[in-house]
Amino acid sequence: MRCARLAVVGTIVGVTVFGSAGAAFAAAPMVAESGRPGDTVLLSDDKHCTANTATASSDAFAATVTLTREGDEVKGSAIIGEGVATGDYAVTVTCGEGQELVGSLHVMGDTPSTASTAGLGGTQGADVALLAAGSVLLVGAVGTGVVAIRRRASNNA
């Protein structure tokens, strides 16, 4: 009975966490890669523009970019400006028909000029949704292990 309750609670928590993370990712009407200052990043309207061309602009870009139709998406590439600070920047795509799409671009710090001294390297940032999902999976695995051990102990007694 306890296993069934644990399974139901774990399923509800998992669906809640993964469902909200999926909605956050699906809500972005345009897609932009992450990059460092000086990098070329790819942009896509994620199939929202109906026109054959669009323009993309951001404080992170060296210049405004023209996007063109490639199949069922409007795509292009932009160069992240030199000296752009680390952080998230809004990217505005204006479709040919005047529709505006807003997404974001994450600019990572400059490439280190020396080797890492942290021993195991480091990270530029953390994806909260992935950390939450991993935490839920770990807690579920530990809970399942505890229930299995207790059940086995009660069956041997």
Side-chain angles (χ1 to χ4, degrees):
M1 189 66 169
R2 288 185 202 165
C3 283
R5 286 183 188 160
L6 182 63
V8 169
V9 170
T11 301
I12 291 170
V13 169
V15 167
T16 302
V17 169
F18 288 119
S20 62
F25 292 125
M30 63 82 46
V31 179
E33 293 182 329
S34 297
R36 300 180 191 287
D39 284 355
T40 299
V41 293
L42 301 177
L43 307 171
S44 168
D45 73 332
D46 201 27
K47 303 177 185 178
H48 285 86
C49 288
T50 57
N52 288 328
T53 62
T55 58
S57 61
S58 173
D59 291 340
F61 296 163
T64 300
V65 179
T66 300
L67 309 177
T68 56
R69 177 136 326 261
E70 292 182 26
D72 56 355
E73 294 182 305
V74 178
K75 296 181 179 181
S77 59
I79 298 174
I80 298 175
E82 294 293 337
V84 173
T86 301
D88 293 323
Y89 291 85
V91 177
T92 302
V93 173
T94 305
C95 302
E97 68 275 3
Q99 175 188 12
E100 281 196 355
L101 309 172
V102 178
S104 66
L105 166 76
H106 181 73
V107 176
M108 297 179 284
D110 288 333
T111 305
S113 57
T114 60
S116 172
T117 58
L120 297 174
T123 62
Q124 290 293 329
D127 186 341
V128 178
L130 291 176
L131 287 173
S135 299
V136 168
L137 290 174
L138 286 173
V139 168
V142 169
T144 302
V146 168
V147 169
I149 289 171
R150 291 188 65 172
R151 188 172 207 190
R152 178 180 278 177
S154 67
N155 287 340
N156 290 335

